[in-house]
Every structure is written in structure tokens, then in C-alpha cells.
Amino acid sequence: MFFEQITGNLIQGLVLGSVYGMATMGLSLIFGVLKIVNVGHGAFIMVGAFITLWLFNTLGLSPILAIPAAFAVGMLLGLLFYYTTMRRLIKAPELASLLATFSIGILLEEVIKLIFGSEFRGYNWAVGKLNLGVTVLPMSKLYACIGSAIIALLLYIWFNKTRAGTAMRSVVEDSEGARVCGVNVDGTYAMSFAIGIGLTVVSGVLLTMFIPVGINPYMGGGYTLKAFVIAVLGGLASPYGAFFGGLVFGLIENGSYMLFALIPGVEPFALTRFLSFVILLIILLIRPTGLLSTK
Amino acid sequence: MKTISKYYPLLPVLAVYFIMFLVGKNVSGMWQLVAMLLFYCALGQAFNIFLGMTGYVDFGYVAFMGVGTYGMAVTITQLAHVEGLGFLVITIGFLMALLFSTLLSLAVGAVALRLKGAYFAIATIGVNEGLRFFIEGARIWNGSEGLIFMAELNQILGRKTASALATFWADIMVLFIAMSAAYVTLLFMRSKIGYALTALREDEEAAKVMGINVTKYKIIAFITSACFAGLLGAASWALKTPYVFPPEVFEIHYTIEAIIIVLLGGAGTLLGPVIGGLIYGLSKYYLSIYMPGFQLLIFAPIIIVIIVIFPEGIIGMLKNRFKDTSLARFII
Amino acid sequence: MKKNSLTIILSCVAVFCFCFLSNSFAAKKKIVIGHPACLSGKYAKAGEQAVGGIKACIDWVNTNYGGVTLDGKKVPLEYKYYDCESKKESVTSLLGRLITVDKVNVVFAPYSSGLTLRGAPVSESNRMLYMDHGGANNKIFTQGFRYVVQTIGPATAYHEGTLNMIHMTDPEAKRVALAYEDSEFAKMVMEGAETHAKKLGFEIVFKRTYPKGVTDLTPLLSALKASKPDFILGGGHFEDGQLFNRQMADLDINSNALSLIAAATLPAFYEALTSMAEGVMGPSHWEYGVKYSKSEAKKVGMEWIGPGQDEFVALFKKAVGKDTIPDYHAAEAGAQVLAYVLAVEKANSFDTDTVRKALGDLTFMSFYGGWDIDDSGLQVGHSMVDVQWQDGKRIIVWPREARTGKLVYPIPTFAEKAKGKIATP
């Protein structure tokens, strides 16, 4: 019984983790290239969720079709905020960029609240379920998982096989060196920020495929905190490291519940959260480059 | 004469506080507003001691206020049934708040201060959230149900004194915390610590090479800043607010507010956090009166504009303008 | 120059005197209700409702009722509210302004127990009546406050009715699972539910909480599924309630009954979950369709005041400018206006102590139901109703005398619901 339950939880954790991982790739990309922590990360996820909801409820479009739409909106938002704000803050102290991204997050939340109201919404995309015996998996979750994996793969290919991707990697390694070698650093910054935000907004779509309820302007906060932990697990500056970080995080969150539940007199669910932050601190101290790095 | 002129920069700070006190005391209906402004000024000043001097962004700063609040709250609930302690309980409460925040800052300082920049910011967020979930998960100090202790305060101090404490004397304590934070800031600025930290803020590696014990001074500033946060929590969130619920005292928004206040006034200046706190508190107050429901929508773009256009803050800007005039010795 | 400044000073004095006079003059002409409302921040949703409900009832008192009768004269009500941003610092500073600058006669507390507690010492020290429509924590009333009066029912009572109902409907049901949010309010509901369930002889087979802001409940729900409960009580707030229901459907966890606090009674709940919400229940302080009326009040021998239900809904729509049915946050705030009006009339004064005493003696019925407080100010006269989603409509199924339809028990399974089966008796 115990093992059946824990296997079920771990399967769920793996599926969830892939989506979490995808939801962190944008954060890691932006940090990797621009050295800016996007504290308003969750707000962009929320924007993706509202795009999905709106397309589904008014036009009846399936969430899968919302992915390209969300990416386009994300790119545009990214370019907008890059050229109006972030561009001037790249060399500024952390304080300024942290506060700026946070304010952008608030701005998005309040604008969405003005348009859609503060109601908690959801949509119902009925595509059946898959019974695995130990647990039940709705197909929409499976699609979200597969979608995340495909996007992670595409990003990997783009990074390693295209010219723009290589330029981006060279900026991550050494921005001055890249500039000397003729890489358009400012253009690369803008591109990375736009793609990073695009990925984050897309992850909002995938997250609602996973959890299609509770969509509201302030839903992003919890995801921001999770994304920090996952990003650190994956090495903070590496987008596909973040994807694997997500998988590990999903497994920890779902697996440890059963173990904490064995301790009497505690609240196991809150302790799983506690554990994830303890792991965050340990990794930051021992291996700030992430679990998967070879350095 | 020289020793007195050393304290010139304190004058504008104290003048602002004095005016606030007079307005609050004499204009009817203003005291609670002044109390809120004092809270924001104190928050900014306490936060500035570490952030302003070192440039390290402690995103989980609110955790120190949280443990300080718990220090006071736990003392009150535990000692309520002991007869005849009276104000001693409050004193013990402040000592406990100091103890808790010192211990936490030592623990965080020992580990997280080795990290830099964004890594430090994320680590401190981790400490704050982790602590909150630990209190809820392990059911420490009554877990998520929290502590509600107005009845205990009444029992210890008597109804009248307890009420006066919550509505007046707690704010006076905040005022004292704010003033001592200003004094300590000036003390640091004018001592070896200040010079070392300035060197560190400009270039940490170079400071190390020059033989400055960077870690020692960082930790001193960190603990001092944390202790003020603990005291502020105890006064404003325990004595003035007779309850503690974990999600409310570990709410990261307060760190953000502290950052906004410091940045608005000017990081690393003495007068900056006071002016920042005043502007922040007053604009929030009047926006909520005249445009209820739209404060954040108006506030967010303003903050972005401020960061982009004058990242040095108001006092930072004034400092540059009055650089070689007689006013310069008052504004640092 | 000299003459100029003299004119300025004189005119200033004149304006000041005028303000002062008109102020003291006006104070007798109207009764002002002050409210540091939560119009933005985390409680914005409930705060907007409360403001709408208060406006609706004030509108009724001023136009239909003709004002508050004081010394044989009709005095109109006025409403003064600011936005506290759901933050404690703003609550006290705005309270200070309301009490001393706006000279209000009564203060309505902000939403949530925490914010209510933050404001209490300030209103207490100003000898100001402080009426609580959004703080359900029972402990507010053991702190020795003199002027705090509650309209919302205490948290411990939320699930008592549900347990009674299931106990009477299905004597076979024994195994109950409790899964609530880890917050001060939901924990108190859970405590009340646990005590009451034990009293009725239920066996508690599962009792766990989940943290605030949770985004995935899978581990908790899998463990809940393994405990094989007959019915499930839980919830905490709005978003987690939707998540709870949705993930139960995802994991195919079926039980005879599911009752979630806060979330399940809102229209948005069904809009988000559609058929998955069929048969799901929630306790509520008030719901559109309750049968409280003037004749009902007469039957039980209680005094009646206020608009009828449909009248209230119409006034609410007018006040918020939107075509929505109010939820219980609006109703309880509105009923508080009526309680205050009645107490002022009975006391024939708006002196705080006299009105507080009158409130203590007051028992009445309005569209919101009964209203009666005990010595500490805790609401004891209001009973909650239980609402069940049947075919997309909120049907009141408990208590029997207030119900608008029969309870569906056991509810259809999620597989049946996905095929289009609805919960109808």
C-alpha cells in the first residue's frame, strides 16, 4: 500500500516536475545572459494562464494552440520591457534590477486585474484520463509534460546549432570577449530577454493545462518562489539545467510528503516546502553552479 | 567643536522626527498616520545599515522582523500568568527579540554571506520562506494558528496601560528605534567599519587584497541591521498588533517596501531612508483615501521610472548638488 | 502688502470657523459609518463585496426606511470608506483618520481576523464601536475588547451544520476525512468540525492540512484516497478550493459528499469547474434563495428590519454597477448596517456605550437571517446554511426550514459527471 502510493506520487511528481522545469527555463536564461533575476517571473506565468483562458473561453481554441500565441505575446512584452527599462539596468547594482522586475510584475498583475477582475477562474478541457493502476493521470497533464519536453529539446537544439544561439552562449561565457569577437551584445541581450519572457509566458499555458483552475491576477507569487528553488537546483544560469532541476523538484515535493507523514504531530505538507528551501540553501553553499554541473 | 560637528548630519534627521512627533501629538487624527510613517522610516533606516553600506540585497530581511515579533509574542504569552512582572515582561520581550534576531543573523551570516549578488538574494529568500514553513510544519509556537495575546497584555499591564501601549507607546518605541538606527548609521559611517564597507561596496576583491577583513565588517553590519529589524518587529508587530500569524510576519512584501524606501531616498545615505519612508507612506496614505483600489496600478510605473531616471535616490541627488556648499555637512 | 496679508489671515480664520461650525452642525444631521475597506491586495475580492453590501443597505435605510429615527427625527446614514490595501499598517492609520478627522459614529472592521485585531486597540482606546463582519476567529472575543461586535458567525461553527445533515441523512456514514488549508481561519474551522464530528460519533480517518498558496495537492489527495472516507470536509480559501475539487477529479477520488469552505459557494467555482462541481457543497452565512422574510420573522416572534432578499440584490447591483448576485461577504456586511440602525434607534442615542448595550440586548431578523450576540460580542444568533451545486445552480439544502431543494446524497462519481450526469434529487 505504502509503496503503491509512493510510486503513484513519484509518477505524478515527474510529470509535474517537467512542467515546473519548463516554467523555470525563462528565469535561468535571463539570469544566464543578463545576470538579472526576474522577480516578476510569476506575473508572466499568470499572463500565459490568462491568454489560455481567454482563447479557450471566447474563441474555443485548444490550449495547444495557445502556445504559439503566448510565445508571441511574451516576446513582445519582453522586447517592450527590455527597451524601456531593463536595458538601462544591466550594469546597475542588483538592487535596481530586482526592484524593477518586481514592479513590472505588479504592473502586469494590476493591469490584468483591471481587465479581467480579481475572480478565480478556470476552464475545462476534457480530453480523457489514463489509468496507470497506482494513480490516475489526466491526458491534459500528459500533454503538458510532453509539450515541456519538446520545448526544452527545441531550446537545446537552438542553443547549440544556430548562430544566434551560439552568440548567446558566448555572451553567457564572457560578454566582453563576445563583443570583441564581433557579437552584437546588445541585440543578444534583447533577444535573450524576449525569448526568456516568451518561454515563461508559454509555461503559463502549460501550467494551466496541468492545473486549469484558480487562475487569477495574483496567482504568480508561489511559482516565482518555486522557480527560484528549481533554478538553483539546475545551476541558475543554465536553462536546460533548470528543466532537470524541475524534475528533481517535482520528485522531492511529491515523494517527501509520504515520509514526513510518518512523523506524528506535524503538518507534512508544510514540511515538504521547508525541505525544498533547505535543499536550496545547501546547494547554494556546496555547489552554487547546480546539481548537474561538472565543475 | 570637532566632535560636535561630527554629528551635524544627524540634525536634519532628528528635526524630521521631531516635526513628525509634534504633528502627531497636536493635530487631531494624525497620530496613527505618524505611527505608520515612523514604521516605514524605521524600516528603511534599519534596512539601510546593511544594504546601503554593503550593496548586498537581503531579500529575506523580513524574517528578522518575524523572529523579533515572535520573541515578544512568546514572552508575553509565556509570562502572562506570572504575577507582578508588569513592564519587566516587555523588557524581557525586547531582549528575546534581540536574541532571536541575533541568532538568526549569525546563522544566516555564517552561511549566506559567503554568497554574492543574486545568489545571496535568493538564499535569503530561502531562509525566510523555509523558516515560515518550518514554524507551520513543525507546529512551533502554535503553528499556523499563531498567537493572539491582547488578553495576556491586559492581564500583565492592566487594561488601560495595555491599550495606551498598543495605541501610543509602541509608536514611541518605534520612534526611538528609528533614531538609534540613525545614530548607529552615522557612527558606522564615521568609523573604520564605514570605510571598510565602502571599499567593499566599490570592489570587494580589491578590498580583500588591501588587507581589509571584509567578512568581519560585513557580519557586524548584518547583525546590527538584523537587531534593529527584530526590535521593530517586537514593537510594531507585537505590541501594536496583538497577534502573530506566520504568513503575515514572513511576508516578503515588507522587504520590497524596505527596498523601495531605501532606493527612493538614496541607498547608503543617512537622511535618505527617512525621506524615502515619508514619501512612500504619505503617497500610499493619500492615494488610498482619494483613489481607493488603484494605488498599486499608479505606484508600480512610478517606481520603475524612478529606478531608471534617478537610481541614486532623492538624497543621493541632493548630495551631489550641494557637494561643495555649506549645506553639505548636513546631508550625507 | 500688510493689508493683503491681513485679508488672507482673516479669510483663513473665517474659512476655518465655517468648517468647524459646519462640521459640528453636520454631526447632528447624519450618522457616519467608517470603514477601512480592503479594496486591493489579498482580500480585494471579499472587500469589494462588503463595500457593495454596505452601500446597498445604507441606500435602503436612507430611501425606503427614511433614515434612522433619533429623538423622533429621521437622520440619514453616511458611508465613509478608504482602501486599506489589506495591510495592517494602513488599517490603523486610516482608522485614526476616520475616528478623529471624519468623526464617524461607528467603525466597520476590515476583512479577516488579523486586520480586525490590528484595528481593535485603536478603536477601543477611542471608545468607538467596532463591528466585525469579516473576522471569524473565535479568539477575538476572548481578548477582553469591550466594543467589538461580530456579525459573521464564529469559525468553529462552519461545518457543524454539514455534519448534522450527513448524520441525519445517512446514519451508516462513519468515516470522515478532514483536509483544510494551514491558516488560522481554516484551522479553526477544522478544530470545530473535529470536535463536532466526534460528538456525533463519526470516526476521523484522515486529518491533514496543506499550506497556503499551494499549487499541487496530489500527495495529500493520494493519501486521502487511501484512507477511504465516506465523505470529505475541507477547504480554506478561494483558489485552493477550486484546486482541491479539480485534483480530486483528476485523481478520480469519489466520496458520498464533499464540502469545501469559502470556495464552493461562489459562482466562479462552478464556472471554473463546470460539471466537476456537481453535488459539491459548501457552508455559507447567506445565499441567494434563503427563506428569511418578514412573515418568517413574525412566525418565530422576532423583530424584522431591512430590505427583502430580492430588494437587497437589486440594491447591491446598483451599488456595484455590475449584474452579479452578491455572496455572503456582501450580505453579512449589509446586515451589520441594519443591526447598528436598530441598536441606535433602541438606544435613542449614538453614544458608544449605550449603543453597545443596546446591541447586546438586540435580537432581530433580516434577509441575512437571525442576529444575536453573547456578552463577549460573539455572534450566536446566526445559523449557517449549506449550499449544494445541482445542475449548475446553488441549492440550499440545509437547514431543513430554510432549504430550497433536497440534498443529493451520495453525489455522482467524477466518471459519471464527466459523462454528463448531474446531481439532482
Side-chain angles (χ1 to χ4, degrees):
Chain A
M1 193 63 217
F2 182 84
F3 287 102
E4 196 173 288
Q5 226 185 94
I6 210 163
T7 331
N9 278 359
L10 290 178
I11 292 171
Q12 296 276 0
L14 207 62
V15 177
L16 177 69
S18 67
V19 185
Y20 278 169
M22 159 71 216
T24 310
M25 283 162 67
L27 183 83
S28 296
L29 181 67
I30 291 171
F31 182 76
V33 181
L34 290 90
K35 300 282 175 281
I36 282 173
V37 180
N38 179 12
V39 194
H41 184 72
F44 289 101
I45 293 180
M46 177 273 296
V47 171
F50 269 95
I51 291 172
T52 326
L53 181 78
W54 187 74
L55 288 178
F56 189 89
N57 282 352
T58 56
L59 304 176
L61 287 183
S62 117
I64 292 181
L65 292 175
I67 292 177
F71 192 68
V73 172
M75 289 278 282
L76 285 176
L77 283 176
L79 288 174
L80 173 74
F81 287 124
Y82 180 78
Y83 282 110
T84 52
T85 326
M86 302 322 294
R87 191 182 184 184
R88 297 154 206 258
L89 299 177
I90 287 176
K91 294 276 175 279
E94 273 94 34
L95 186 64
S97 59
L98 286 173
L99 195 54
T101 49
F102 187 81
S103 307
I104 289 173
I106 292 181
L107 186 65
L108 286 175
E109 284 172 359
E110 295 299 313
V111 168
I112 293 281
K113 188 183 140 195
L114 209 62
I115 302 171
F116 292 95
S118 56
E119 207 70 67
F120 295 87
R121 295 144 178 271
Y123 66 91
N124 191 358
W125 185 41
V127 279
K129 281 179 203 168
L130 189 69
N131 199 333
L132 297 174
V134 286
T135 188
V136 184
L137 212 56
M139 291 305 286
S140 57
K141 284 190 181 180
L142 213 58
Y143 294 153
C145 171
I146 295 167
S148 304
I150 291 173
I151 290 170
L153 192 69
L154 285 177
L155 190 74
Y156 183 82
I157 292 170
W158 189 79
F159 244 109
N160 288 295
K161 306 283 175 206
T162 69
R163 221 185 131 72
T166 323
M168 212 175 269
R169 274 197 308 157
S170 70
V171 175
V172 174
E173 295 289 326
D174 178 0
S175 64
E176 282 312 309
R179 198 188 295 276
V180 171
C181 296
V183 174
N184 177 358
V185 175
D186 188 49
T188 310
Y189 280 157
M191 190 60 145
S192 316
F193 194 74
I195 293 178
I197 297 295
L199 284 174
T200 309
V201 177
V202 168
S203 74
V205 180
L206 295 169
L207 274 165
T208 61
M209 281 161 75
F210 202 88
I211 302 157
V213 292
I215 298 169
N216 78 92
Y218 304 114
M219 65 185 277
Y223 290 116
T224 309
L225 288 177
K226 281 205 169 94
F228 285 162
V229 180
I230 294 166
V232 168
L233 280 173
L236 204 52
S238 144
Y240 28 90
F243 183 73
F244 292 103
L247 291 181
V248 175
F249 184 82
L251 290 177
I252 294 170
E253 209 183 52
N254 274 275
S256 62
Y257 177 86
M258 296 282 296
L259 301 175
F260 283 124
L262 299 175
I263 310 170
V266 298
E267 302 294 351
F269 215 137
L271 285 180
T272 64
R273 292 294 191 81
F274 169 64
L275 180 72
S276 66
F277 288 108
V278 170
I279 291 173
L280 167 99
L281 287 177
I282 293 175
I283 290 177
L284 273 179
L285 288 174
I286 299 175
R287 207 182 246 273
T289 46
L291 275 186
L292 297 167
S293 72
T294 45
K295 276 184 223 164
Chain B
M1 194 57 212
K2 197 163 177 267
T3 43
I4 295 174
S5 68
K6 205 171 126 182
Y7 295 110
Y8 275 178
L10 269 181
L11 279 178
V13 177
L14 296 181
V16 171
Y17 284 137
F18 187 64
I19 294 169
M20 276 162 79
F21 175 78
L22 283 184
V23 168
K25 203 75 197 78
N26 296 315
V27 183
S28 86
M30 280 306 204
W31 182 254
Q32 291 301 331
L33 169 63
V34 167
M36 177 173 89
L37 297 177
L38 284 174
F39 171 79
Y40 282 130
C41 292
L43 178 65
Q45 292 218 301
F47 190 57
N48 189 38
I49 293 176
F50 181 66
L51 172 121
M53 292 198 167
T54 62
Y56 275 62
V57 187
D58 182 352
F59 236 87
Y61 188 65
V62 65
F64 299 121
M65 296 176 71
V67 292
T69 315
Y70 266 111
M72 179 63 85
V74 170
T75 312
I76 291 173
T77 45
Q78 291 298 316
L79 296 182
H81 59 272
V82 184
E83 293 275 322
L85 282 178
F87 270 102
L88 199 57
V89 176
I90 308 297
T91 317
I92 299 173
F94 275 115
L95 291 177
M96 289 298 278
L98 272 181
L99 180 72
F100 283 3
S101 44
T102 310
L103 286 179
L104 182 66
S105 63
L106 275 175
V108 178
V111 288
L113 271 182
R114 289 197 233 156
L115 302 164
K116 267 181 227 154
Y119 290 91
F120 177 74
I122 293 181
T124 47
I125 293 179
V127 170
N128 183 55
E129 296 296 311
L131 198 62
R132 173 194 148 191
F133 286 117
F134 184 60
I135 288 174
E136 290 186 356
R139 304 205 41 67
I140 294 165
W141 300 322
N142 216 15
S144 60
E145 284 106 309
L147 305 164
I148 302 177
F149 46 84
M150 195 66 207
E152 280 87 346
L153 265 182
N154 285 341
Q155 197 184 335
I156 296 168
L157 300 172
R159 178 184 281 277
K160 232 181 150 164
T161 324
S163 161
L165 181 69
T167 53
F168 181 73
W169 291 107
D171 307 322
I172 296 290
M173 289 170 194
V174 173
L175 176 63
F176 274 109
I177 293 166
M179 288 198 294
S180 9
Y183 177 70
V184 170
T185 310
L186 185 68
L187 221 58
F188 276 14
M189 282 175 162
R190 289 289 153 91
S191 71
K192 211 177 151 193
I193 304 171
Y195 299 123
L197 290 179
T198 312
L200 177 154
R201 192 176 57 193
E202 300 304 326
D203 188 341
E204 187 159 350
E205 292 311 313
K208 268 186 198 158
V209 173
M210 280 159 68
I212 298 172
N213 188 347
V214 174
T215 319
K216 187 176 110 189
Y217 293 119
K218 261 198 299 193
I219 289 199
I220 291 177
F222 191 62
I223 293 176
T224 316
S225 175
C227 283
F228 277 116
L231 291 176
L232 184 61
S236 189
W237 287 356
L239 294 179
K240 192 171 175 60
T241 317
Y243 71 92
V244 200
F245 299 144
E248 290 191 21
V249 293
F250 293 107
E251 193 169 339
I252 232 151
H253 264 88
Y254 285 100
T255 311
I256 309 282
E257 287 190 314
I259 296 178
I260 294 174
I261 290 165
V262 169
L263 204 79
L264 210 60
T269 62
L270 178 66
L271 188 57
V274 184
I275 301 298
L278 270 180
I279 295 176
Y280 181 71
L282 281 173
S283 47
K284 241 177 72 143
Y285 179 75
Y286 284 105
L287 277 176
S288 72
I289 286 172
Y290 295 110
M291 304 203 68
F294 293 94
Q295 299 99 304
L296 287 174
L297 192 64
I298 299 168
F299 230 92
I302 293 178
I303 292 168
I304 297 174
V305 168
I306 287 174
I307 299 165
V308 173
I309 294 178
F310 54 122
E312 288 173 328
I314 295 165
I315 296 302
M317 209 174 63
L318 287 179
K319 210 166 110 180
N320 287 341
R321 175 162 295 182
F322 295 120
K323 210 162 202 171
D324 295 313
T325 65
S326 55
L327 278 172
R329 59 192 152 148
F330 294 107
I331 303 171
I332 62 164
Chain C
M1 186 67 204
K2 215 172 184 183
K3 205 177 165 191
N4 248 347
S5 52
L6 196 71
T7 331
I8 293 172
I9 292 171
L10 274 181
S11 52
C12 278
V13 171
V15 167
F16 181 78
C17 288
F18 179 75
C19 288
F20 184 74
L21 279 176
S22 62
N23 224 357
S24 58
F25 187 62
K28 280 176 201 152
K29 280 287 208 169
K30 60 187 184 229
I31 296 175
V32 189
I33 294 174
H35 189 197
C38 302
L39 287 174
S40 57
K42 55 188 167 193
Y43 305 129
K45 179 85 202 46
E48 280 163 21
Q49 287 277 331
V51 169
I54 293 169
K55 280 183 179 168
C57 281
I58 289 181
D59 193 1
W60 180 86
V61 170
N62 287 344
T63 50
N64 294 45
Y65 196 63
V68 187
T69 316
L70 206 62
D71 289 329
K73 268 185 258 159
K74 293 283 192 185
V75 186
L77 282 178
E78 199 189 279
Y79 182 36
K80 192 95 200 168
Y81 66 98
Y82 304 126
D83 176 15
C84 78
E85 248 181 87
S86 312
K87 288 189 101 166
K88 46 189 169 200
E89 277 70 32
S90 307
V91 169
T92 35
S93 63
L94 293 174
L95 257 182
R97 185 185 175 93
L98 285 167
I99 294 172
T100 38
V101 179
D102 300 321
K103 304 225 178 327
V104 299
N105 302 96
V106 58
V107 169
F108 284 9
Y111 186 73
S112 88
S113 300
L115 296 182
T116 301
L117 275 166
R118 164 86 180 196
V122 175
S123 63
E124 228 23 45
S125 68
N126 283 290
R127 236 172 48 82
M128 176 61 59
L129 191 62
Y130 190 62
M131 297 183 76
D132 160 26
H133 62 85
N137 198 315
N138 298 44
K139 283 193 196 134
I140 297 172
F141 299 92
T142 56
Q143 304 301 314
F145 295 122
R146 282 179 192 154
Y147 304 118
V148 186
V149 167
Q150 193 186 37
T151 298
I152 191 178
T156 44
Y158 272 59
H159 264 145
E160 283 179 3
T162 321
L163 284 161
N164 289 339
M165 170 172 70
I166 292 171
H167 185 64
M168 284 171 87
T169 320
D170 180 13
E172 299 291 306
K174 277 281 160 284
R175 302 168 65 83
V176 47
L178 307 174
Y180 290 86
E181 187 186 54
D182 201 1
S183 67
E184 95 357 87
F185 162 68
K187 278 297 262 298
M188 196 138 243
V189 178
M190 175 150 115
E191 198 187 298
E194 190 185 1
T195 328
H196 199 68
K198 279 184 183 151
K199 209 162 80 189
L200 293 175
F202 287 113
E203 182 195 348
I204 289 153
V205 292
F206 182 84
K207 187 191 151 205
R208 287 287 184 216
T209 63
Y210 51 86
K212 240 187 171 135
V214 69
T215 50
D216 178 51
L217 286 166
T218 314
L220 177 116
L221 289 176
S222 327
L224 186 148
K225 187 181 188 178
S227 73
K228 294 194 176 56
D230 289 327
F231 64 100
I232 301 161
L233 306 180
H237 212 247
F238 302 138
E239 65 274 47
D240 58 289
Q242 292 187 0
L243 182 71
F244 197 109
N245 195 158
R246 170 75 201 197
Q247 296 208 308
M248 283 202 31
D250 284 351
L251 293 167
D252 235 342
I253 305 170
N254 292 297
S255 71
N256 293 341
L258 168 65
S259 176
L260 298 171
I261 51 174
T265 58
L266 300 185
F269 184 74
Y270 197 89
E271 277 163 30
L273 290 154
T274 59
S275 65
M276 276 172 263
E278 278 294 322
V280 178
M281 291 187 292
S284 172
H285 291 286
W286 175 85
E287 217 44 62
Y288 182 69
V290 287
K291 290 176 175 166
Y292 298 115
S293 63
K294 209 167 187 170
S295 53
E296 174 82 17
K298 209 171 202 177
K299 228 188 290 171
V300 292
M302 270 161 102
E303 192 172 351
W304 169 267
I305 185 178
Q309 176 174 257
D310 290 311
E311 213 180 339
F312 172 70
V313 173
L315 287 169
F316 177 84
K317 284 178 183 170
K318 199 176 116 195
V320 296
K322 269 188 268 183
D323 188 28
T324 45
I325 301 275
D327 65 41
Y328 70 74
H329 299 104
E332 65 204 8
Q336 196 159 272
V337 176
L338 303 174
Y340 180 70
V341 167
L342 263 189
V344 169
E345 289 191 340
K346 291 219 183 314
N348 197 27
S349 142
F350 44 73
D351 171 69
T352 301
D353 282 285
T354 333
V355 178
R356 173 64 184 85
K357 198 174 162 298
L359 278 167
D361 300 332
L362 187 68
T363 327
F364 74 99
M365 189 185 266
S366 66
F367 68 95
Y368 176 65
W371 195 100
D372 188 17
I373 52 167
D374 72 1
D375 290 339
S376 65
L378 188 78
Q379 181 61 236
V380 289
H382 184 73
S383 49
M384 297 190 72
V385 295
D386 278 278
V387 188
Q388 185 173 42
W389 283 103
Q390 298 181 4
D391 196 14
K393 286 186 205 63
R394 283 177 288 183
I395 305 293
I396 297 163
V397 293
W398 193 263
R400 277 210 182 127
E401 56 277 13
R403 75 181 178 189
T404 54
K406 271 170 122 176
L407 171 74
V408 175
Y409 183 98
I411 59 173
T413 64
F414 284 111
E416 287 170 350
K417 286 193 239 178
K419 289 201 189 87
K421 186 167 178 187
I422 46 168
T424 42

